[in-house]
């Protein structure tokens, strides 16, 4: 009781001299003076653009019209079932209220709203008074109450209560003025509300675009959902956002991403049966749920440590089928409206598309990974087989070659022919094994190059010595003196040249001359050309020559064996040397394969030569 008296005194003491003077002015000039004042105030503050604007008007001007110690405004929600209160002045005692959100069945503000009528009462007398609001007012020393509805035509938007510490303070005249004020405020608030809604809608559209832009470029599903939850929560300033996806068998929702204040509450991967909770209902029915007071929603599951009051859940659909839900929660009652629902529905449409893209990408990646794995295994196998092939083949070739040189054998024509056959076929097999090994090494990035000074003259001789010319074939070569040395990998360049020379012979079935020319190409490059007088290549086929396994299928090439690997390998080797390879050809006349190599730098030569001398 002592406390109450003190507070009561506090309010009386807080009145300024100016306020008291104003009070007496009001009393003197009567209704006409007050209506004039009302007109002056309302025409000055016309066009308030937000709730706060309207409340400011009330705060700064209303006291000049109606004397009060406390003014409380109750603003109705869209559903007209509850109201939120604002107090003027925002007394700390009033903000001690355990809540600021009430049903229209509660309190004097609720009574005025429900009955759409004015009221002049003593706080201790009427049956309409209830503890949550009036109890507090009583604590503050309020005794007289004046309540009026805030109405625009037929629509009620809230109620307005004035409280005074003086007993039996308010008159019928005060009620008339307060009713005018209620009408004015209701109209302003309605205008402010639609203005605010429109502004919110516009800014939401811009924000939706911003979030959608972020999502459209994401292909990793985990990242996508995480970024989506985070972007939606931060951009729209929601209290808590979760994204849950349906399990394969559609019996459970799995928590995939979380952002906000409850983030530590449910673990990643948390599962909830679809027959439970608001989220389960949304997943099974494919419709959104907007619950601004979850305690009134029987579908809501109460969590012990969760103080959710409002929940908005929207389905994420793909081709009309629910794949998951987006869930937004708040610890305030009536935290969401239809604009929030519209925003989340638009975002979920986008999220559905983005999830689909990410899933497709993931399937592709998995398939690719399998293929890469298979390809690796195949390469390893081929590499191993071709490697193991070569040593027995070398022994066979060596044995057959030495037998061929044997005088006794040379005298037996049949034996000589057979042996030659063994050497030729073993050579072919050897080339195939060598090509396969090169391919697997190139593809797995394991082909190493050992660069040193290469003498082109020697290189040509080495390569040619490994190609068998028939009596119909002639060979000649020329190396210009200023193109005699280059830096390169001797073995691989030999392999390249050998491939080109053996092709020149192979694709000249009627014989002819094969020539190699090595000359300067530019100040930095030399060019080596391998020409033949064989079948040639038609211009439209030239493009595919250097591709793997590509062979040109014509009547003339039908009988010529090959795997279509040689030129691909040549190109890889030449490119690794920083050069280019191409062909100039005329069908029926012959072909010239040309490749460039970088000229040796003067300084490179000097250093390496001195090394050679030392050796
Ligand atoms: P392979 O000779 O084993 O088939 P290559 O990669 O060495 O594989 O050659 C690819 C194709 O290019 C050959 O199948 C052939 O049709 C054509 N080709 C290569 N060299 C010549 C050439 N000197 N004259 C005509 N055609 C050629």
């Amino acid at each position: 009781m002592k406390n109450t008296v003190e507070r009561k005194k506090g309010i009386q003491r807080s009145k300024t001299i100016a306020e008291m003077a104003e009070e007496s002015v009001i009393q003197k000039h009567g209704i006409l003076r007050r209506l004039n004042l009302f007109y002056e105030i309302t025409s000055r503050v016309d066009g308030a653009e937000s709730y706060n604007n309207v409340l400011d008007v009330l705060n700064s001007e209303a006291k000049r019209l109606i004397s009060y110690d406390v003014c409380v405004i109750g603003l109705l929600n869209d559903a007209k079932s509850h109201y939120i209160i604002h107090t003027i002045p925002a007394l700390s005692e009033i903000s001690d209220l355990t809540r600021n959100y009430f049903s229209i069945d509660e309190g004097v503000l609720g009574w005025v709203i429900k009955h759409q009528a004015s009221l002049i009462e003593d706080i201790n007398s009427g049956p309409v008074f209830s503890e949550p609001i009036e109890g507090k007012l009583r604590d503050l020393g309020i005794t007289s109450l004046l309540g009026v509805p805030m109405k625009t035509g037929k629509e009620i938007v809230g109620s307005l209560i004035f409280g005074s510490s003086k007993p039996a303070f308010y008159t019928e005249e005060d009620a008339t003025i307060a009713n005018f004020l209620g009408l004015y405020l209701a109209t302003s608030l309605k205008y402010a509300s639609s203005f605010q809604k429109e502004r919110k809608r516009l800014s939401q559209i811009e924000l939706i675009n911003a979030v959608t832009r972020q999502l459209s470029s994401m292909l990793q599903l985990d990242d996508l959902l995480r970024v989506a939850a985070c972007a939606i929560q931060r951009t729209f300033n929601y209290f808590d956002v979760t994204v849950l996806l349906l399990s394969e068998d559609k019996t459970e929702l799995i928590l995939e991403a979380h952002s906000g204040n409850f983030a530590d509450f449910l673990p990643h991967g948390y599962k909830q049966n679809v027959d439970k909770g608001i989220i389960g209902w949304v997943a099974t029915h494919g419709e959104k749920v907007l619950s601004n007071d979850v305690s009134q929603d029987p579908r809501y599951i109460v969590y012990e440590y969760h103080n959710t009051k409002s929940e908005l859940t929207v389905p994420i659909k793909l081709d009309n089928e629910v794949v998951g839900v987006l869930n937004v929660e708040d610890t305030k009652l009536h935290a969401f409206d239809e604009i929030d629902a519209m925003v989340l529905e638009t975002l979920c449409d986008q999220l559905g598309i983005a999830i689909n893209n990410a899933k497709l990408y993931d399937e592709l990646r998995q398939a690719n990974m399998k293929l890469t794995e298979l390809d690796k295994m195949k390469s390893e196998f081929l590499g191993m087989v071709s490697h193991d092939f070569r040593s027995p083949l070398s022994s066979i070739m060596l044995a057959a070659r030495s037998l061929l040189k044997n005088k006794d054998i040379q005298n037996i024509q049949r034996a000589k022919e057979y042996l030659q056959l063994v050497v030729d076929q073993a050579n072919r097999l050897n080339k195939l094994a060598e090509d396969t090994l090169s391919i697997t090494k190139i593809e797995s990035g394991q082909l190493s190059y050992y660069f040193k000074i290469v003498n082109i003259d020697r290189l040509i001789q080495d390569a040619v010595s490994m190609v068998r010319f028939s009596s119909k074939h002639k060979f000649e070569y020329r190396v210009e003196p200023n193109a005699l040395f280059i830096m390169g990998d001797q073995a691989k360049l030999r392999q390249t040249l050998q491939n080109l020379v053996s092709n020149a012979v192979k694709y000249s079935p009627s014989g002819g001359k094969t020539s190699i020319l090595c000359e300067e190409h530019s100040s930095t490059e030399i060019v080596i050309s391998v020409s033949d007088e064989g079948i040639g290549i038609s211009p439209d086929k030239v493009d595919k020559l250097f591709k793997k396994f590509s062979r040109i299928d014509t009547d003339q090439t039908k009988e010529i064996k090959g795997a279509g690997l040689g030129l691909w390998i040549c190109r890889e080797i030449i490119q690794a040397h920083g050069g280019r390879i191409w062909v100039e050809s005329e069908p029926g006349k012959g072909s010239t394969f040309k490749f460039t190599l970088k000229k040796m730098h003067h300084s490179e030569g000097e250093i390496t030569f001195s090394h050679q001398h030392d050796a």
Side-chain angles (χ1 to χ4, degrees):
M1 192 59 206
K2 185 168 174 262
N3 202 8
T4 312
V5 172
E6 267 176 14
R7 281 190 184 160
K8 192 170 161 182
K9 277 187 196 155
I11 286 169
Q12 284 175 335
R13 234 185 276 126
S14 73
K15 274 193 184 170
T16 63
I17 296 168
E19 280 170 338
M20 292 193 330
E22 188 116 57
E23 255 175 48
S24 65
V25 168
I26 289 169
Q27 279 157 15
K28 242 189 249 170
H29 293 275
I31 186 78
L32 200 62
R33 163 85 178 123
R34 291 172 84 183
L35 280 177
N36 269 332
L37 194 57
F38 176 78
Y39 175 75
E40 184 205 313
I41 291 169
T42 52
S43 49
R44 185 147 42 86
V45 294
D46 196 23
E49 286 183 358
S50 69
Y51 275 119
N52 288 342
N53 264 189
V54 172
L55 296 176
D56 284 348
V57 170
L58 200 57
N59 197 11
S60 59
E61 311 288 346
K63 221 169 200 176
R64 298 174 60 196
L65 283 170
I66 296 165
S67 180
Y68 65 83
D69 291 315
V70 175
C71 171
V72 188
I73 308 158
L75 288 176
L76 266 177
N77 64 355
D78 285 348
K80 312 252 182 261
S81 58
H82 291 76
Y83 62 93
I84 296 171
I85 64 165
H86 298 270
T87 62
I88 293 169
L91 296 174
S92 58
E93 284 91 339
I94 291 288
S95 62
D96 274 352
L97 281 174
T98 46
R99 56 199 170 108
N100 68 348
Y101 186 79
F102 299 92
S103 152
I104 57 166
D105 294 324
E106 295 176 88
V108 61
L109 290 128
W111 188 92
V112 171
I113 289 170
K114 252 176 104 174
H115 294 83
Q116 302 201 10
S118 329
L119 153 155
I120 298 173
E121 277 281 5
D122 184 297
I123 198 157
N124 296 311
S125 63
V128 294
F129 306 142
S130 63
E131 271 315 294
I133 307 169
E134 287 82 53
K136 282 279 167 190
L137 294 179
R138 224 181 281 122
D139 279 356
L140 290 168
I142 300 297
T143 52
S144 300
L145 291 177
L146 164 61
V148 288
M150 294 200 285
K151 270 171 85 176
T152 60
K154 281 195 184 109
E155 196 187 348
I156 179 138
V157 298
S159 58
L160 189 58
I161 303 291
F162 297 96
S164 170
S165 52
K166 293 178 193 142
F169 181 68
Y170 292 110
T171 61
E172 284 301 325
E173 191 185 298
D174 290 326
T176 310
I177 295 291
N179 264 313
F180 274 125
L181 196 60
L183 177 72
Y184 165 73
L185 287 179
T187 319
S188 296
L189 282 173
K190 232 185 122 181
Y191 169 73
S193 136
S194 59
F195 189 85
Q196 257 183 339
K197 271 190 186 155
E198 186 57 24
R199 203 163 44 184
K200 183 174 171 192
R201 208 168 58 82
L202 278 177
S203 69
Q204 305 291 58
I205 289 169
E206 277 161 25
L207 295 176
I208 290 172
N209 281 339
V211 175
T212 310
R213 263 199 306 277
Q214 267 190 61
L215 299 186
S216 60
S217 58
M218 305 212 55
L219 284 174
Q220 210 79 3
L221 190 61
D222 293 358
D223 292 348
L224 169 78
L225 299 177
R226 196 173 39 74
V227 169
C230 206
I232 293 171
Q233 192 248 325
R234 296 211 179 132
T235 312
F236 298 97
N237 204 15
Y238 286 132
F239 188 79
D240 190 75
V241 173
T242 40
V243 180
L244 299 105
L245 291 189
L246 267 179
S247 59
E248 291 266 294
D249 60 4
K250 299 197 183 301
T251 59
E252 289 174 320
L253 278 164
I254 303 162
L255 196 149
E256 300 285 352
H258 204 162
S259 178
N261 292 287
F262 293 151
D264 297 334
F265 181 70
L266 293 175
H268 186 89
Y270 161 84
K271 290 179 183 164
Q272 184 169 315
N273 242 312
V274 289
D275 54 12
K276 279 201 201 124
I278 291 181
I279 55 170
W281 191 93
V282 172
T284 39
H285 291 75
E287 286 166 32
K288 67 151 199 271
V289 167
L290 198 176
S291 180
N292 267 326
D293 183 358
V294 286
S295 68
Q296 302 302 311
D297 194 321
R299 292 167 295 197
Y300 181 70
I301 303 175
V302 183
Y303 292 101
E304 204 178 330
Y305 305 107
H306 233 209
N307 48 347
T308 295
K309 296 269 166 50
S310 304
E311 185 163 346
L312 171 56
T313 311
V314 177
I316 305 168
K317 290 184 188 175
L318 221 172
D319 297 333
N320 258 334
E321 241 191 75
V322 178
V323 292
V325 299
L326 179 70
N327 188 53
V328 185
E329 293 178 37
D330 205 300
T331 48
K332 288 195 301 293
L333 284 159
H334 278 257
F336 309 116
D337 58 19
E338 280 303 323
I339 296 179
D340 293 300
M342 180 277 289
V343 165
L344 292 193
E345 279 180 319
T346 314
L347 282 170
C348 280
D349 285 348
Q350 301 299 325
L351 197 55
I353 295 168
I355 289 175
N356 193 30
N357 285 344
K359 278 189 172 161
L360 287 178
Y361 174 76
D362 198 48
E363 278 167 24
L364 211 69
R365 208 171 43 118
Q366 302 262 354
N368 249 342
M369 260 160 59
K370 267 192 203 148
L371 278 180
T372 316
E373 186 60 25
L374 275 177
D375 210 48
K376 204 173 141 227
M377 279 163 64
K378 185 201 74 188
S379 294
E380 276 169 12
F381 175 74
L382 278 179
M384 191 186 72
V385 171
S386 42
H387 185 265
D388 289 357
F389 239 62
R390 290 175 75 201
S391 22
L393 267 178
S394 306
S395 317
I396 294 170
M397 281 195 297
L398 198 71
R401 278 205 187 111
S402 24
L403 274 178
L404 260 178
K405 284 181 194 147
N406 184 295
K407 280 215 173 68
D408 295 336
I409 299 271
Q410 281 184 356
N411 290 334
I412 314 165
Q413 188 54 31
R414 267 285 169 77
K416 204 181 136 184
E417 279 170 21
Y418 285 154
L419 272 178
Q420 189 58 58
L421 193 73
V422 171
V423 172
D424 287 350
Q425 296 303 318
N427 247 331
R428 252 192 73 200
L429 269 181
N430 194 43
K431 183 171 177 295
L432 189 63
E434 192 179 59
D435 285 355
T436 314
L437 198 61
S438 301
I439 279 199
T440 53
K441 280 190 173 166
I442 289 169
E443 286 187 333
S444 60
Q446 287 169 5
L447 194 66
S448 319
Y449 287 83
Y450 304 101
F451 278 63
K452 59 176 194 173
I453 291 186
V454 176
N455 178 329
I456 302 282
D457 202 273
R458 277 283 307 280
L459 181 79
I460 296 174
Q461 289 179 26
D462 278 358
V464 171
S465 73
M466 303 179 95
V467 180
R468 202 165 77 84
F469 290 85
S470 78
S471 54
K472 294 184 286 183
H473 293 99
K474 290 198 182 68
F475 173 75
E476 61 175 35
Y477 81 95
R478 184 163 61 89
V479 181
E480 290 191 346
N482 53 357
L484 193 55
F485 297 102
I486 56 123
M487 283 294 280
D489 183 312
Q490 165 87 25
K492 304 218 174 42
L493 289 177
R494 192 269 304 146
Q495 189 183 353
T496 305
L497 212 48
Q498 186 188 340
N499 257 330
L500 295 179
V501 176
S502 66
N503 275 355
V505 174
K506 219 162 64 166
Y507 297 102
S508 307
S510 352
K513 193 168 64 184
T514 298
S515 6
I516 300 180
L517 172 64
C518 180
E519 59 192 331
E520 199 172 45
H521 187 57
S522 67
S523 59
T524 55
E525 285 176 319
I526 62 154
V527 62
I528 300 180
S529 322
V530 180
S531 316
D532 63 58
E533 299 173 337
I535 58 172
I537 303 155
S538 76
D540 58 315
K541 301 283 185 339
V542 165
D543 275 355
K544 63 176 239 188
L545 280 189
F546 296 93
K547 295 202 172 112
K548 218 191 310 179
F549 298 113
S550 101
R551 305 205 69 222
I552 297 171
D553 222 0
T554 64
D555 285 348
Q556 289 162 300
T557 56
K558 241 190 317 207
E559 297 298 314
I560 307 171
K561 303 262 185 307
L565 294 173
L567 287 181
W568 183 80
I569 294 169
C570 289
R571 197 190 57 177
E572 288 293 321
I573 294 174
I574 297 305
Q575 283 178 349
H577 280 78
R580 287 163 290 122
I581 183 167
W582 70 99
V583 63
E584 292 162 5
S585 178
E586 207 177 313
K589 291 221 167 138
S591 317
T592 301
F593 283 83
K594 293 185 174 183
F595 62 89
T596 61
L597 290 170
K598 288 232 168 76
K599 259 188 190 175
M600 198 171 67
H601 227 262
H602 192 56
S603 57
E604 285 175 325
E606 276 173 357
I607 295 161
T608 324
F609 271 133
S610 62
H611 272 296
Q612 277 194 340
H613 276 299
D614 291 347

